[in-house]
C-alpha cells in the first residue's frame, strides 16, 4: 500500500529544509567573514585608493576573478585614453606599484658595532635615519648613494637610543634615551660629524616638569606635523604622556595615561588634536586635546599582552598596534569604549624579554576584543618591535608590515590578512623597518648590527600569500 504525506507533514519537511539551508547559508557567511575579515569601510577605502579607474576596468577585464589587471593592459588602456584623463589616476598608479613589493635583495647599507634599534625614512624619502645602541645615530642621503650625511654621537645616552624623530622640514632631529631629557640637533649644518657640545649643540629638552625630580625613561617621541610640538610616552610615576611645546621650550601638558609603561605614542593626524598611546597595560588609548578633562576620549581593548608600538593611518580614525601576544591588530576609534575591560588571562609565568610565548596562550582571545582584524605570523619578543601601514602613494596603504624576533620582515594584506611576503636575511631580531614613501624600497634594521635594503623584483608578478607557495624558499 502506498504512502501519502499529509499537507502538515509536507509543510514540516519544507520548513526543516529551509532551516537547514538557512543554517548552511549562515555558516557560509561566517566562513566568508573569516576569509575576508575586513568586508567593511576599511576594505572599501583601500580598494578606492588602489583600484584602477572604472573605464580601465571595463576595457581590461582580468582573466581571473579578484586578480589585478595586468600592467601591460593598463598601459595600453592609458595610451588609448580610456580613463578620459590622458594619464593614470592616483589609484591606477597604486594598483600598478603595489604589485612590485620590495622583496628583492637585500643589499647591506651599513654594518655597525652595536644593535640597530630604530630606523625611518624622512617624509620625502631623501634621508634615512638609523639609531644604534652604541650612541651612534646616522643620517644617510638616499639620493646620493646612501652616503652618511650626518653621524651623530648621542649625548648622555642611557642603555640605548630608544627613539628618533625627524621634523617634517628635515631641519631638526630629536632622540630619546632612558632619561626624561630628549635632545634636539640641527641636521642642516655642514659638519658631517656631530659631537654633543663639542662641535655642535645638542640642546636638552627636559620633559620632567620638575616633577619631584623623578628620573624616568622616554620610550617613544614624535614630532607634530607643524614641527611645533613633541609627544612622548614615558614610565614616570603616573605612566604619563607628555606634550612638549618647542617654542615655549617646556612641556605644557602631562597626561597620567596608563597603569604601566607607555611604550608608544603618535599623533592621529596632521591637526595634532588627537593622540594615540599604547602601554604594557595592554590598552590603546585615545586622547582628544580639544575636550581634555584628564580622561581618555576612548579605550581600545583586545590585546592579551602589552603593546610595543602603534602606527596611525593618518586619517584620524584607524591605527595598528603590535602586541606581545604575538599579533598586530587593526583598530577604528569609532568602535572604542569609554572604559577598559579588565580580564585576567595569565595562568602562567612569562616574560617576553627572555621566554618564548606559551603555545597555549596563542589560542586565547579577549572576550571584548574591539579590533577590526588580527594579523599573525611574526614574533614580538625581546624588544619593542615596530609595525606600520605601507605608503599611501605607492600602495594605497593596502599592506601592513612589521619586524620580527626571528630576523624577518613580514608583510600582510590589510583586507584579507594574508601574509604576502616574508623577507629573510638577518640573523637576529628586526626591531624596526621602513618602507620608502614613494618607491618600492624597504629598509630593515636589526640587532645583528646591520641595515639592509630591499627593492622590487621587477617581474610584475602578483604577490602570492606565503602559505600558498608550493615550497619554502629563502628570499635573496
Amino acid at each position: 500500500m502506498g504512502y501519502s504525506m499529509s499537507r502538515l507533514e509536507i509543510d514540516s519537511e519544507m520548513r526543516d529544509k529551509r532551516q537547514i539551508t538557512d543554517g548552511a547559508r549562515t555558516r557560509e557567511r561566517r566562513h566568508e567573514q573569516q576569509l575576508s575579515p575586513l568586508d567593511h569601510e576599511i576594505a572599501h577605502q583601500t580598494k578606492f585608493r588602489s583600484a584602477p579607474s572604472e573605464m580601465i576596468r571595463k576595457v581590461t577585464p582580468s582573466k581571473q576573478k579578484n586578480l589585478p589587471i595586468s600592467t601591460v593592459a593598463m598601459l595600453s588602456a592609458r595610451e588609448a585614453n580610456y580613463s578620459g584623463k590622458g594619464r593614470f589616476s592616483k589609484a591606477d598608479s597604486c594598483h600598478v606599484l603595489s604589485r612590485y613589493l620590495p622583496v628583492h635583495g637585500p643589499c647591506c647599507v651599513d654594518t655597525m658595532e652595536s644593535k640597530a634599534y630604530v630606523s625611518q625614512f624622512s617624509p620625502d624619502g631623501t634621508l634615512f635615519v638609523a639609531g644604534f645602541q652604541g650612541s651612534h645615530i646616522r643620517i644617510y642621503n638616499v639620493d646620493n648613494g646612501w652616503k652618511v650625511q650626518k653621524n651623530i654621537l648621542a649625548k648622555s645616552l642611557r642603555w640605548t637610543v630608544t627613539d628618533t624623530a625627524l621634523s617634517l622640514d628635515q631641519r631638526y632631529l630629536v632622540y630619546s634615551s632612558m632619561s626624561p631629557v630628549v635632545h634636539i640637533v640641527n641636521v642642516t649644518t655642514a659638519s658631517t660629524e656631530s659631537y654633543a657640545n663639542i662641535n655642535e649643540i645638542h640642546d636638552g629638552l627636559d620633559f620632567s616638569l620638575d616633577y619631584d625630580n623623578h628620573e624616568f625613561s622616554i620610550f617613544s617621541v614624535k614630532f607634530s606635523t607643524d614641527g611645533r610640538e613633541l609627544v612622548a610616552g614615558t614610565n614616570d610615576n603616573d605612566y604619563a604622556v607628555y606634550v612638549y611645546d618647542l617654542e615655549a621650550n617646556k612641556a605644557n601638558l602631562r597626561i597620567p595615561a596608563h597603569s604601566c609603561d607607555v611604550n608608544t605614542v603618535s599623533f592621529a593626524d596632521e591637526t595634532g588634536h588627537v593622540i594615540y598611546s599604547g602601554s604594557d597595560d595592554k590598552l590603546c588609548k585615545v586622547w582628544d586635546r580639544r575636550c581634555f578633562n584628564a580622561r581618555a576620549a576612548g579605550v581600545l581593548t583586545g590585546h592579551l599582552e602589552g603593546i610595543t608600538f602603534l602606527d596611525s593611518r593618518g586619517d584620524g580614525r584607524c591605527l595598528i598596534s603590535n602586541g606581545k601576544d604575538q599579533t598586530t591588530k587593526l583598530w577604528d576609534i569609532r568602535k572604542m569604549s569609554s572604559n577598559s575591560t579588565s580580564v585576567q588571562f595569565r595562568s602562567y609565568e612569562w616574560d617576553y624579554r627572555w621566554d618564548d610565548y606559551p603555545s597555549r596562550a596563542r589560542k586565547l582571545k579577549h572576550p571584548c576584543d574591539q579590533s577590526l582584524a588580527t594579523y599573525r605570523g611574526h614574533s614580538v619578543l625581546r624588544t619593542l618591535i615596530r609595525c606600520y601601514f605601507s605608503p599611501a602613494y605607492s600602495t594605497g596603504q593596502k599592506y601592513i608590515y612589521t619586524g620580527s624576533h626571528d630576523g624577518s620582515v613580514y608583510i600582510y594584506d590589510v583586507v584579507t590578512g594574508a601574509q604576502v611576503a616574508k623577507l629573510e636575511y638577518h640573523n637576529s631580531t628586526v626591531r624596526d623597518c621602513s618602507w620608502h614613501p614613494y618607491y618600492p624600497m624597504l629598509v630593515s634594521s636589526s640587532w645583528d648590527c646591520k641595515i639592509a635594503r630591499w627593492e622590487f623584483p621587477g617581474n610584475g608578478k602578483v604577490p602570492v600569500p606565503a602559505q600558498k607557495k608550493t615550497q619554502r624558499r629563502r628570499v635573496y
Side-chain angles (χ1 to χ4, degrees):
M1 186 172 77
Y3 176 74
S4 177
M5 296 179 66
S6 68
R7 185 67 188 172
L8 184 62
E9 289 173 322
I10 292 173
D11 290 344
S12 176
E13 184 173 330
M14 292 180 67
R15 186 166 56 251
D16 290 342
K17 287 181 178 179
R18 280 198 301 269
Q19 289 175 350
I20 293 171
T21 302
D22 290 344
R25 287 174 179 167
T26 300
R27 288 192 296 273
E28 186 177 345
R29 282 195 298 269
R30 287 176 180 171
H31 182 62
E32 288 176 352
Q33 289 172 356
Q34 290 173 354
L35 291 177
S36 182
L38 293 185
D39 187 19
H40 51 58
E41 185 177 351
I42 299 295
H44 294 305
Q45 286 180 355
T46 302
K47 186 175 181 182
F48 178 75
R49 289 184 174 191
S50 60
S53 59
E54 188 65 27
M55 289 301 297
I56 288 182
R57 254 200 319 269
K58 286 181 179 179
V59 298
T60 56
S62 176
K63 293 182 180 179
Q64 298 184 43
K65 187 178 180 182
N66 297 327
L67 285 183
I69 299 168
S70 76
T71 304
V72 173
M74 288 190 67
L75 289 170
S76 298
R78 185 185 68 177
E79 293 303 310
N81 196 24
Y82 283 115
S83 67
K85 299 178 180 179
R87 57 180 173 79
F88 279 157
S89 66
K90 287 185 178 180
D92 291 332
S93 298
C94 280
H95 186 75
V96 174
L97 288 173
S98 63
R99 302 177 62 188
Y100 296 86
L101 294 181
V103 297
H104 179 65
C107 168
C108 186
V109 173
D110 203 356
T111 302
M112 298 292 283
E113 295 181 353
S114 62
K115 299 175 181 177
Y117 263 73
V118 291
S119 59
Q120 281 297 293
F121 279 105
S122 63
D124 67 358
T126 60
L127 301 177
F128 183 81
V129 181
F132 300 84
Q133 187 175 17
S135 300
H136 284 280
I137 302 168
R138 286 193 162 181
I139 301 178
Y140 303 88
N141 190 317
V142 177
D143 295 339
N144 189 22
W146 291 82
K147 182 180 179 181
V148 176
Q149 181 168 304
K150 201 81 170 175
N151 185 35
I152 301 168
L153 190 65
K155 178 185 179 183
S156 305
L157 189 75
R158 295 184 181 178
W159 177 245
T160 185
V161 174
T162 56
D163 205 0
T164 62
L166 194 64
S167 61
L168 188 62
D169 62 9
Q170 300 179 185
R171 293 183 60 196
Y172 297 99
L173 177 121
V174 294
Y175 60 88
S176 60
S177 181
M178 308 292 276
S179 160
V181 177
V182 169
H183 291 91
I184 186 168
V185 187
N186 186 337
V187 298
T188 62
T189 57
S191 176
T192 300
E193 302 296 324
S194 179
Y195 298 103
N197 300 340
I198 296 177
N199 68 326
E200 290 189 345
I201 300 298
H202 293 201
D203 284 328
L205 311 177
D206 191 352
F207 279 69
S208 68
L209 289 171
D210 295 325
Y211 181 63
D212 299 329
N213 295 317
H214 177 60
E215 287 294 313
F216 58 85
S217 301
I218 294 177
F219 300 111
S220 177
V221 62
K222 297 289 183 294
F223 267 104
S224 60
T225 303
D226 61 16
R228 296 180 179 179
E229 293 182 322
L230 297 171
V231 62
T234 75
N235 67 345
D236 73 0
N237 284 345
D238 294 318
Y239 304 106
V241 171
Y242 288 77
V243 177
Y244 194 97
D245 187 323
L246 291 170
E247 292 184 351
N249 198 27
K250 67 177 182 179
N252 61 1
L253 179 62
R254 178 179 178 273
I255 308 170
H258 290 270
S259 59
C260 289
D261 295 357
V262 183
N263 294 324
T264 175
V265 289
S266 176
F267 287 105
D269 56 26
E270 61 183 13
T271 66
H273 296 314
V274 178
I275 296 170
Y276 301 144
S277 64
S279 166
D280 273 335
D281 64 9
K282 312 168 191 174
L283 302 175
C284 292
K285 290 189 177 182
V286 182
W287 310 90
D288 192 334
R289 299 164 66 190
R290 295 166 294 187
C291 53
F292 181 69
N293 59 0
R295 292 187 60 183
V299 180
L300 294 164
T301 305
H303 277 295
L304 305 180
E305 301 289 347
I307 294 166
T308 64
F309 194 74
L310 56 82
D311 183 44
S312 172
R313 196 165 185 253
D315 57 6
R317 293 203 304 256
C318 298
L319 65 148
I320 54 173
S321 59
N322 247 1
K324 298 175 184 177
D325 56 5
Q326 315 305 296
T327 68
T328 300
K329 286 184 176 289
L330 173 67
W331 311 88
D332 187 329
I333 67 172
R334 292 172 295 182
K335 294 182 178 292
M336 64 188 180
S337 59
S338 56
N339 295 300
S340 61
T341 303
S342 179
V343 179
Q344 180 59 42
F345 292 95
R346 282 285 190 93
S347 59
Y348 50 85
E349 291 296 325
W350 177 71
D351 189 323
Y352 96 117
R353 294 172 297 177
W354 325 113
D355 306 322
D356 290 336
Y357 195 60
S359 57
R360 63 181 181 275
R362 296 179 184 273
K363 302 176 182 178
L364 298 176
K365 178 178 173 60
H366 199 294
C368 302
D369 190 351
Q370 297 167 300
S371 64
L372 300 180
T374 302
Y375 309 88
R376 304 175 188 272
H378 60 292
S379 57
V380 185
L381 297 169
R382 311 297 184 263
T383 186
L384 305 178
I385 291 173
R386 302 184 164 195
C387 62
Y388 303 92
F389 286 99
S390 64
Y393 177 86
S394 58
T395 70
Q397 296 180 307
K398 67 185 296 181
Y399 305 112
I400 62 173
Y401 62 103
T402 175
S404 178
H405 170 60
D406 65 7
S408 305
V409 177
Y410 288 74
I411 304 176
Y412 302 102
D413 187 293
V414 168
V415 176
T416 66
Q419 177 189 310
V420 298
K422 179 182 177 182
L423 313 184
E424 299 175 283
Y425 167 69
H426 297 284
N427 57 26
S428 188
T429 301
V430 174
R431 190 181 190 272
D432 206 354
C433 45
S434 185
W435 197 315
H436 193 284
Y438 300 110
Y439 304 137
M441 178 193 299
L442 187 148
V443 177
S444 54
S445 53
S446 170
W447 276 12
D448 64 5
C449 311
K450 293 181 180 179
I451 305 292
R453 184 175 82 245
W454 306 80
E455 296 178 285
F456 70 90
N459 57 16
K461 291 183 178 179
V462 177
V464 178
Q467 60 266 33
K468 292 185 179 180
K469 292 180 180 177
T470 56
Q471 64 180 24
R472 179 186 173 94
R473 65 184 180 86
R474 189 174 182 88
V475 180
Y476 291 99

